[in-house]
Amino acid sequence: MATQTLTLTAPAKLNLMLRILGRRADGYHELQTVFQLLDFGDSLVFRTSDDHQIHLHCPGVDVSPEQNLVYRAAALLRQASGNTALGAHISVEKRLPAGGGIGGGSSDAATTLLGLNQLWQCGFDLNALAELGRQLGADVPVFVRGHSAFAEGVGERLTTVSIEPRWYLVLTPACHVSTATLFSDPRLTRDSAAITLAALRDRRLNTHWLDTYAGNDFQPLVEDLYPEVRQAREWLAQHAKAFLTGTGACVFAGFESESAAQAVFNARPEGWEGFVAKGVDESLAHRQLAKFAATV
Ligand SMILES: C[C@](O)(CO)[C@H](O)COP(=O)(O)OP(=O)(O)OC[C@H]1O[C@@H](n2ccc(N)nc2=O)[C@H](O)[C@@H]1O
Ligand SMILES: Nc1ncnc2c1ncn2[C@@H]1O[C@H](COP(=O)(O)OP(=O)(O)OP(=O)(O)O)[C@@H](O)[C@H]1O
């Protein structure tokens, strides 16, 4: 196989609303959430390798290479393909903080499945890749499918939605929240009412819909445990409606224009980190993949 190079963006996501409906017998939680993809993310470069090994360069992630979700996704895909001779060099430039609730690790994993499925010519369709992704984490399938979505079940039942485009200011407080620890905290509220499908109507979520259903059941608990998250969200709330994403630590607010989001970002207290990005219905990785596939 000739050596090929493919560069993909692993986009961030925001949970524009998140309700926890209950806990299943296996400990996992039933929830409802809206995944908004952003036009900002990590950058992954894939190259085929003849030595049958998976080589990973991913500075800035606090786990061993073998535990890195990129490596695990590559190994899982290779195993599913049945071809142990496949090899790759993967280089990751992290822009999304780990444990931030913006899906950095999950998006990297999904993008690896998409990228290597193309380079290795495995021929899996999106359903098969999403099923593999599910084994790596609840948030991986939405990135595999690559479209903004309303999610139910444990996060795997996805309904594609179209979300009124907005610009988001995301603040990334410097603390790492463990998703598993939060889900197992006895203080977590687990009895929110479900949104009915009728509320989704034509599957177009406009600002009115988002204003009606916004909110995140993790927010009170996370803010009690991590005062810096409350501080960031309360600061942002002086300028616009502000919420926690996922299990945090990131908080965000939506704006009608890039300049409005940027103006608030520029006014943030010294030393605070974050970024401004546009909400998009379609993942950048899918667009890049389609372009690449058209050239080979
Ligand atoms: C909170 C969200 O970020 C919303 O997007 C996701 O539901 C979490 O997705 P994720 O980070 O991919 O989570 P996973 O890596 O699959 O699971 C981490 C841990 O969170 C708990 N977990 C996760 C998802 C879910 N619906 N119920 C759970 O109870 C489980 O204890 C699990 O061991
Ligand atoms: N490539 C990777 N990038 C980031 N984190 C990784 C990666 N591989 C493994 N991890 C581990 O996975 C954990 C969770 O990563 P991730 O960024 O997906 O969580 P998150 O930001 O809380 O998002 P969410 O819970 O919304 O999926 C991190 O704490 C990190 O130790």
Side-chain angles (χ1 to χ4, degrees), residues 105-136:
S106 316
S107 187
D108 288 354
T111 304
T112 301
L113 293 173
L114 292 166
L116 291 181
N117 183 54
Q118 168 71 41
L119 277 193
W120 286 344
Q121 297 172 6
C122 298
F124 290 114
D125 63 16
L126 286 189
N127 288 334
L129 293 178
E131 186 47 46
L132 285 176
R134 175 70 197 87
Q135 298 173 38
L136 298 167

Side-chain angles (χ1 to χ4, degrees), residues 7-279:
T7 303
L8 297 177
T9 304
K13 58 88 176 165
L14 296 174
N15 297 96
L16 297 186
M17 53 75 63
L18 193 158
R19 294 183 179 200
I20 306 169
L21 311 181
R23 186 161 29 177
R24 304 193 317 196
D26 64 3
Y28 265 76
H29 289 73
E30 292 278 341
L31 46 85
Q32 288 185 321
T33 188
V34 170
F35 286 108
Q36 166 73 79
L37 301 181
L38 301 180
D39 71 346
F40 178 80
D42 295 338
S43 178
L44 279 75
V45 181
F46 302 94
R47 205 155 42 83
T48 48
S49 167
D50 294 333
D51 66 359
H52 319 312
Q53 306 290 318
I54 295 162
H55 304 272
L56 176 63
H57 179 66
C58 183
V61 174
D62 60 351
V63 295
S64 69
E66 292 72 27
Q67 284 175 302
N68 193 300
L69 281 157
V70 171
Y71 183 93
R72 291 176 55 209
L76 185 65
L77 184 73
R78 184 171 64 177
Q79 185 192 32
S81 77
N83 182 357
T84 51
L86 294 171
H89 289 275
I90 312 168
S91 178
V92 183
E93 190 185 325
K94 290 293 298 180
R95 299 195 185 103
L96 308 177
I102 52 178
S106 316
S107 187
D108 288 354
T111 304
T112 301
L113 293 173
L114 292 166
L116 291 181
N117 183 54
Q118 168 71 41
L119 277 193
W120 286 344
Q121 297 172 6
C122 298
F124 290 114
D125 63 16
L126 286 189
N127 288 334
L129 293 178
E131 186 47 46
L132 285 176
R134 175 70 197 87
Q135 298 173 38
L136 298 167
D139 279 352
V140 180
V142 70
F143 291 111
V144 167
R145 295 195 180 281
H147 205 284
S148 296
F150 179 72
E152 298 174 277
V154 295
E156 84 295 1
R157 268 195 349 258
L158 298 169
T159 303
T160 295
V161 292
S162 173
I163 303 174
E164 195 166 308
R166 291 192 296 178
W167 288 87
Y168 292 93
L169 164 48
V170 182
L171 292 175
T172 62
C175 56
H176 181 127
V177 177
S178 158
T179 300
T181 308
L182 276 184
F183 267 117
S184 61
D185 195 298
R187 290 168 291 179
L188 186 64
T189 311
R190 300 178 167 85
D191 59 356
S192 283
I195 293 175
T196 61
L197 271 184
L200 280 180
R201 275 205 303 273
D202 56 1
R203 298 182 181 175
R204 299 184 78 80
L205 310 187
N206 58 22
T207 304
H208 175 70
W209 193 99
L210 297 169
D211 283 345
T212 306
Y213 294 108
N216 181 332
D217 284 343
F218 284 110
Q219 194 168 302
L221 180 59
V222 172
E223 292 189 357
D224 279 353
L225 293 171
Y226 302 92
E228 53 274 65
V229 174
R230 171 169 288 129
Q231 201 188 1
R233 206 255 314 147
E234 286 182 347
W235 181 83
L236 200 48
Q238 296 171 350
H239 302 277
K241 288 176 190 143
F243 303 97
L244 183 80
T245 175
T247 51
C250 293
V251 297
F252 68 93
F255 296 84
E256 277 185 9
S257 68
E258 182 177 17
S259 56
Q262 196 65 49
V264 176
F265 186 52
N266 292 344
R268 73 195 181 282
E270 209 186 319
W272 285 23
E273 307 256 336
F275 58 89
V276 169
K278 193 176 183 200

